[in-house]
């Protein structure tokens, strides 16, 4: 039986922590789908299409990793993709409580989809997309937190946002 796993997230932006989990999952499962969530309630910096393209570029050399954008219920998406495993990254105990609730809800909605929690490597435990954006927004070096192509895209987008805000003010 081939095991298909889904690793969902907003990935705004994709970090080295995300990439680490995907690459490790790709060793464990026959195929891994990086499911980029539309999630407009989070007001992402990048469009869904941009986030999908940034993730595709990050995993272009991984034959068993694909990247798909989606909106709606994750449990339904998992069913549509015929996935058996849902991968969730857990950095701290606080993450676990929330992720445990999500896992229970997803199991209720799609009993065929089992959640597996993975912890990031030690060097990535503190990295979050929110922190990376904040560091970059204030001119900090994010080279060790995101892939190079993501750093370039992030710097360009934040410069664009700053220029728009400046011209509006």
């Amino acid at each position: 039986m081939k095991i298909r796993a889904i690793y969902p997230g907003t990935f705004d932006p994709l970090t080295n922590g995300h990439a680490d989990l995907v690459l490790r999952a790709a060793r464990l499962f026959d195929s891994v789908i990086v499911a980029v969530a539309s999630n407009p309630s989070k007001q992402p910096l990048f469009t869904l299409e941009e986030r999908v393209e940034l993730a595709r570029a990050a995993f272009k050399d991984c034959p068993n990793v694909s990247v798909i954008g989606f909106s709606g219920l994750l449990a339904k998406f998992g069913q549509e993709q015929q996935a058996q495993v849902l991968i969730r990254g857990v950095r701290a105990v606080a993450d676990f409580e929330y992720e445990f609730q999500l896992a229970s809800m997803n199991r209720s909605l799609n009993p065929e989809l089992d959640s597996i929690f993975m912890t990031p490597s030690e060097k990535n435990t503190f990295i979050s997309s929110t922190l990376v954006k904040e560091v970059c927004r204030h001119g900090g070096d994010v080279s060790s937190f995101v892939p190079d192509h993501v750093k370039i895209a992030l710097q360009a987008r934040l410069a664009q946002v700053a220029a728009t805000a400046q011209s509006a003010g």
Side-chain angles (χ1 to χ4, degrees):
M1 178 179 171
K2 298 237 183 233
I3 305 292
R4 179 174 289 169
I6 293 178
Y7 178 44
T10 307
F11 305 111
D12 186 49
L14 178 84
T15 68
N16 289 342
H18 296 132
D20 173 56
L21 287 182
V22 170
L23 295 175
R24 288 174 34 225
R27 292 193 318 253
L28 299 172
F29 302 105
D30 297 300
S31 69
V32 176
I33 298 168
V34 177
V36 182
S38 172
N39 211 349
S41 64
K42 282 193 171 183
Q43 298 179 323
L45 186 61
F46 294 100
T47 67
L48 176 61
E49 295 76 20
E50 290 168 332
R51 289 179 281 132
V52 166
E53 286 309 311
L54 288 169
R56 283 186 179 146
F59 304 114
K60 68 181 183 308
D61 296 327
C62 303
N64 66 330
V65 174
S66 58
V67 179
I68 303 173
F70 80 101
S71 61
L73 285 175
L74 178 58
K76 183 178 178 193
F77 179 76
Q79 194 171 32
E80 290 167 357
Q81 298 300 316
Q82 299 176 330
Q84 297 86 10
V85 174
L86 178 61
I87 300 166
R88 298 299 295 173
V90 179
R91 293 177 300 218
V93 173
D95 286 349
F96 181 77
E97 290 180 32
Y98 175 70
E99 293 298 339
F100 185 79
Q101 282 183 309
L102 283 180
S104 297
M105 180 60 76
N106 283 321
R107 187 175 329 118
S108 175
L109 296 171
N110 181 353
E112 304 300 313
L113 191 62
D114 286 315
S115 294
I116 292 182
F117 301 115
M118 293 180 71
T119 58
S121 63
E122 293 75 25
K123 68 181 178 181
N124 295 318
T125 55
F126 65 93
I127 300 173
S128 73
S129 294
T130 302
L131 282 176
V132 167
K133 285 185 281 195
E134 229 15 61
V135 168
C136 192
R137 185 175 284 120
H138 294 289
D141 182 11
V142 295
S143 300
S144 59
F145 310 135
V146 296
D148 289 339
H149 71 283
V150 172
K151 175 186 153 187
I152 292 165
L154 182 58
Q155 288 172 329
R157 177 56 47 86
L158 289 173
Q160 179 186 33
V161 168
T164 302
Q166 195 172 36
S167 68

